Amino acid sequence: MELLTSEDFKNTRIQPEWTAMDYLLEVVRVDQEKMQEQTFLNEKKNGRLKRKRRIQEENSKNKRPITSYPPKPLMPEGLKQHIVENMGGSNCVLVIQKQLFFSDVNPQASRLLIPFSQVESHEFLNESEVERLKNKEAIQACLVEPSMEETDINFKWWDMRKNSMYVITTSWNSIVKNNRLKAEDVVQLWSFRVDSTLCFALQKL
C-alpha cells in the first residue's frame, strides 16, 4: 500500500467549519479511493498479462510441429566405386525409389514403369534427351544390374490417360530373372554419365 501525499488531496475542498473528525474522515475517503484505483490498475495489468499469456499459448498450439525429413538416399559405396572406377562414370542422380508391383515383374509385360509423380528429379536428362523422348524416340542406354552385370536397355517416355511415365524395356525380363526381383521388392534407379552418355544403375534394397 502506497502512502498518501499532498497530490492525493488536490481535489479536496476544505471547509472552514471542518473539525478534526472531518479531516480524519476525508483522509480515510481519499485513502480508500486511492486503494480502489490501485486495485483497478493492478487487475487491468494482470488481465493484459493473462490475455497475452493466453494468446501465446494459443499460438504455440497452432504452430506446426517441426518435421524432420529423412535424409536423401545415398548411392551404395560398392555401386558407386564400380561406376566411378570401372566405368569412368560421374554425376550420379537418384531417379526413383519404388516398390515393385506384379506388373513390374510380369514376364508378359516386360517393362519397368517409372511414374513422373514418383521421380525424384527430371534433371538427370538433358534438353536433347527430353526432346527425343517427347518425340517417342527410345534412348538406348547401359544399365548396371544389382549383380553388377551391364545390360543394354531402351529408355522411353509413355503418355498414359492422365499420367506420364518413363519406361525401361528391352532385356527387362532377363534383369528380373538374373536378380530374382519380385513384387514388393524395393529398388532404386540411379542415372549417371559416362563421357556425357546417359547410363543407369539398378539397386535392390
Side-chain angles (χ1 to χ4, degrees), residues 19-186:
T19 64
M21 180 59 69
D22 293 324
Y23 282 108
L24 182 59
L25 291 174
E26 181 65 14
V27 170
V28 172
R29 184 190 67 79
V30 172
D31 183 59
Q32 289 179 343
E33 287 183 355
K34 185 171 184 178
M35 287 181 63
Q36 290 177 356
E37 182 180 0
Q38 189 64 40
T39 301
F40 173 77
L41 292 175
N42 288 338
E43 290 177 350
K44 187 176 180 181
K45 181 179 180 181
N46 291 335
R48 286 198 302 267
L49 290 175
K50 289 180 181 179
R51 188 162 55 252
K52 182 178 180 181
R53 191 178 298 114
R54 185 170 62 252
I55 292 173
Q56 290 175 341
E57 291 175 355
E58 290 176 354
N59 289 339
S60 63
K61 289 180 181 179
N62 293 331
K63 281 184 178 179
R64 293 183 178 180
I66 298 176
T67 304
S68 57
Y69 295 96
K72 289 186 177 181
L74 298 177
M75 176 176 281
E77 285 300 321
L79 177 59
K80 186 176 181 180
Q81 183 176 4
H82 175 79
I83 291 173
V84 174
E85 296 183 4
N86 297 343
M87 302 181 65
S90 60
N91 298 328
C92 299
V93 177
L94 178 64
V95 178
I96 190 174
Q97 176 173 309
K98 67 168 289 184
Q99 185 180 56
L100 296 178
F101 294 99
F102 174 74
S103 60
D104 292 317
V105 294
N106 182 2
Q108 295 180 350
S110 187
R111 81 286 185 275
L112 174 66
L113 297 181
I114 307 168
F116 277 18
S117 59
Q118 299 179 38
V119 171
E120 294 286 335
S121 172
H122 297 268
E123 295 181 359
F124 67 94
L125 296 171
N126 59 36
E127 293 182 3
S128 173
E129 291 163 345
V130 171
E131 288 300 318
R132 289 171 60 189
L133 291 172
K134 284 184 176 180
N135 291 329
K136 308 303 179 183
E137 180 182 349
I139 296 178
Q140 293 183 342
C142 172
L143 182 142
V144 180
E145 301 181 23
S147 62
M148 296 298 181
E149 183 177 345
E150 298 174 18
T151 305
D152 292 330
I153 55 110
N154 281 334
F155 189 76
K156 301 178 180 179
W157 177 325
W158 283 3
D159 287 317
M160 310 299 281
R161 293 178 183 176
K162 294 184 179 180
N163 303 314
S164 296
M165 56 189 67
Y166 301 119
V167 186
I168 289 179
T169 63
T170 308
S171 305
W172 178 247
N173 279 347
S174 65
I175 294 172
V176 171
K177 183 178 179 179
N178 293 342
N179 297 277
R180 298 181 180 179
L181 299 178
K182 59 185 183 299
E184 298 186 1
D185 282 346
V186 178

